Amino acid sequence: QVRLVESGGGSLQTGGSLRLSCAASGYTYSRYCMGWFRQAPGKEREGVATINSLALTTYADSVKGRFTISKATVENTLYLQMDSLKPEDSGIYYCAVDTSPYDCSVEAALQGRRGYSFWGQGIQVTVSS
């Protein structure tokens, strides 16, 4: 059974940094597409960043240059380094994984071209001004 557990969330002020982690267990596929998503109150869930088993990464325009997605292979953990945080980055952050590495992008998720099979429970990030 695949399980994704996020950690590293919290509350901080504008300009601060956080690193989110997503520990994946029970996922034995060598090919994957993994992503970070977020949902603010009253808004739809949106893609933040994706990475696939070919090490290709994509980012939402709103976080480019500030966020970095990475994956530690041995630990089977997904990370999201978030720098220069803004109040509009607040929300619940979710990690997700799917077995297909193709069309793995924030754009594909936005356009509904692909879904994800497994999701974490989410973790809160609050950035105050």
Side-chain angles (χ1 to χ4, degrees):
Q1 182 178 357
V2 177
R3 186 171 181 230
L4 303 176
V5 180
E6 300 97 338
S7 61
S11 299
L12 71 167
Q13 293 189 325
T14 297
S17 296
L18 277 178
R19 188 175 81 157
L20 302 183
S21 300
C22 173
S25 60
Y27 189 85
T28 59
Y29 300 97
S30 60
R31 305 197 313 170
Y32 58 83
C33 171
M34 298 189 79
W36 286 99
F37 297 78
R38 68 186 180 192
Q39 187 168 20
K43 295 187 177 181
E44 293 187 355
R45 186 171 60 195
E46 63 175 352
V48 175
T50 63
I51 186 169
N52 69 4
S53 46
L54 302 173
L56 298 176
T57 60
T58 72
Y59 297 90
D61 288 342
S62 60
V63 307
K64 281 181 181 176
R66 300 188 298 119
F67 290 13
T68 303
I69 188 171
S70 62
K71 184 179 181 295
T73 302
V74 175
E75 297 84 2
N76 211 18
T77 300
L78 181 71
Y79 298 102
L80 184 68
Q81 177 66 41
M82 306 187 293
D83 299 318
S84 302
L85 282 160
K86 305 175 181 180
E88 52 264 42
D89 294 319
S90 298
I92 299 175
Y93 282 70
Y94 302 87
C95 65
V97 64
D98 193 69
T99 56
S100 172
Y102 303 110
D103 204 11
C104 180
S105 69
V106 169
E107 179 184 3
L110 177 65
Q111 296 180 355
R113 294 203 305 269
R114 74 161 302 142
Y116 291 77
S117 300
F118 306 102
W119 290 82
Q121 81 287 351
I123 193 163
Q124 181 71 45
V125 172
T126 303
V127 185
S128 57
S129 58

